[in-house]
Amino acid sequence: MTIRTVVWGENIHENTNEIVRGIYPEGMHTTIANALNADPAISATTATLQEPEHGLSEARLAETDVLTWWGHKDHGAVSDVVVERVARRVWEGMGLL
């Protein structure tokens, strides 16, 4: 069984800070997903704040076993609808890191 994982990130620092962009040219979320994908038991994809529905549509969350979440710059920009959607999936059994 493959663990379907979404690595979510704000993706703000990578776009606004030259030092961070130099370390993570594809974003922190992509670096984490690539590391997770080194394990054949994990299938990791990414989602960011800037995507429609922040990359976390109902359909995407329905097929997610584990959501990893990294944010600290702009939690206020996350849609309440998406927050409720994520919370509901956690209550249904989706893992959250």
Side-chain angles (χ1 to χ4, degrees):
M1 180 181 129
T2 302
I3 302 168
R4 301 166 301 173
T5 304
V6 174
V7 179
W8 188 90
E10 287 179 336
N11 196 38
I12 294 174
H13 286 91
E14 298 93 321
N15 290 312
T16 60
N17 184 301
E18 188 175 320
I19 294 170
V20 175
R21 186 174 33 255
I23 298 168
Y24 303 105
E26 296 181 73
M28 291 180 234
H29 52 286
T30 301
T31 301
I32 294 166
N34 288 343
L36 291 172
N37 281 323
D39 185 329
I42 300 173
S43 174
T45 58
T46 64
T48 64
L49 180 65
Q50 297 78 23
E51 295 175 48
E53 299 181 81
H54 310 315
L56 301 173
S57 66
E58 292 273 0
R60 180 112 186 250
L61 288 172
E63 58 188 29
T64 299
D65 299 314
V66 177
L67 174 65
T68 67
W69 186 279
W70 164 250
H72 79 283
K73 179 81 171 160
D74 198 6
H75 283 290
V78 179
S79 159
D80 289 344
V81 170
V82 172
V83 170
E84 291 298 323
R85 185 180 298 159
V86 168
R88 186 172 53 252
R89 277 292 294 129
V90 170
W91 284 108
E92 293 170 354
M94 179 184 73
L96 175 66
L97 299 171

